[in-house]
Amino acid sequence: MKKILPATVAVLMLLAGTMAYAAEEQWSYAGEKGPEHWARLDPAFTLCGQGANQSPVNLTGFIEAELEPIKFDYTGLVTKIQHNGHTVQAAYSAGSFMTVNGRQFELRQIHFHTPSEHQLDGKQFPLEAHLVHADAKGQLAVIAVLSSLGAENPNLKKLWQQIPQEVGQEEGMATQVRADHLLPENREYYRLNGSLTTPPCTEGVLWLVMKNPVAVSEEQVKQFSEVIGHPNNRPAQPLNARVVLQ
């Protein structure tokens, strides 16, 4: 029987739309298990310290390119929402896809970070959503949506109403939330290669960061922060030799 490496197990759990709380206790966002220590916590987390293409980054030094529009075919809905101790993660029904550069990826789950993990020319945002996709070979692509303070976001409101208050809890959705309603109307994007922003920090992830933020109210950011109980953003990592296409 082929041995499955711990890092592979973590990615498979991510694609399944859930991360067991017991596994999440291995690392944290602060203290002795914080980001600066991730690489030493488990041999499977080595890339967190030694990887050359780590995420998130400060998006800067943009290179002009003819990026084709992303084709969205999101037909499903959020099916359940989980508080895993590190984020609020929403599982998505099967059969929703996005296509970029001829590659089709299926949407698997959506989760959130506050403050934002990615920065634009050094600017950090109060909230960032990650729409995690995988192709038929298990290769990952993540659409990142930044949020700026403004009016209440009606779609986030529906999600926030369902957030479990206790770590490890999971709730079914009583209201319908579509992934395309979480995206900005203008879907121009930045593109770069990177990694997962949590252990095992697996590289080879295609990042598509929406140029235009969506609105979120200060109260909504506060509500999310109070549920999580701490900032849940990995600090920006070195860009190294990568280019950011726009």
Side-chain angles (χ1 to χ4, degrees):
M1 184 182 222
K2 185 177 179 181
K3 182 178 180 181
I4 300 178
L5 298 176
T8 305
V9 172
V11 173
L12 290 173
M13 292 175 69
L14 179 75
L15 294 182
T18 183
M19 287 291 266
Y21 179 55
E24 293 287 347
E25 292 179 315
Q26 295 179 31
W27 54 272
S28 71
Y29 282 103
E32 295 180 354
K33 294 184 179 181
E36 65 272 27
H37 304 296
W38 285 352
R40 298 192 292 272
L41 297 177
D42 190 304
F45 299 170
T46 300
L47 278 175
C48 298
Q50 298 182 8
N53 296 311
Q54 289 291 291
S55 297
V57 299
N58 175 31
L59 298 161
T60 190
F62 307 110
I63 302 296
E64 294 294 333
E66 294 185 5
L67 298 178
E68 67 176 40
I70 302 170
K71 179 183 177 182
F72 291 97
D73 186 18
Y74 288 165
T75 59
L77 297 167
V78 172
T79 58
K80 56 188 177 181
I81 192 164
Q82 180 192 52
H83 180 350
N84 65 23
H86 284 167
T87 190
V88 168
Q89 185 163 293
Y92 210 77
S93 57
S96 288
F97 299 90
M98 69 95 173
T99 304
V100 61
N101 282 3
R103 296 174 64 191
Q104 186 182 68
F105 297 85
E106 184 176 17
L107 177 61
R108 298 298 186 86
Q109 54 101 332
I110 305 166
H111 63 265
F112 301 87
H113 298 271
T114 184
S116 71
E117 297 202 299
H118 286 90
Q119 301 173 25
L120 293 181
D121 281 326
K123 178 181 179 180
Q124 194 167 36
F125 293 77
L127 187 73
E128 180 174 343
H130 290 167
L131 285 71
V132 181
H133 304 69
D135 67 10
K137 297 180 179 179
Q139 297 298 306
L140 301 180
V142 182
I143 292 179
V145 181
L146 302 167
S147 293
S148 57
L149 291 181
E152 182 181 65
N153 188 307
N155 298 293
L156 287 181
K157 180 179 181 180
K158 293 177 183 179
L159 284 175
W160 277 200
Q161 289 173 340
Q162 305 296 128
I163 294 178
Q165 298 300 306
E166 300 296 329
V167 174
Q169 287 186 341
E170 183 178 86
E171 300 289 346
M173 289 297 296
T175 56
Q176 295 185 349
V177 178
R178 291 173 53 103
D180 51 336
H181 294 167
L182 299 174
L183 300 173
E185 290 187 13
N186 184 327
R187 294 172 184 176
E188 294 181 349
Y189 61 96
Y190 303 107
R191 173 178 173 154
L192 77 158
N193 293 319
S195 72
L196 298 178
T197 65
T198 59
C201 305
T202 306
E203 295 188 340
V205 177
L206 174 63
W207 280 92
L208 308 168
V209 182
M210 296 287 104
K211 285 186 176 183
N212 297 279
V214 298
V216 63
S217 70
E218 186 172 0
E219 181 59 33
Q220 287 178 307
V221 175
K222 179 181 178 183
Q223 183 182 354
F224 179 85
S225 299
E226 289 178 347
V227 169
I228 300 301
H230 53 77
N232 68 336
N233 64 305
R234 186 189 190 189
Q237 302 298 299
L239 193 56
N240 293 326
R242 286 175 288 174
V243 296
V244 181
L245 303 179
Q246 68 170 352

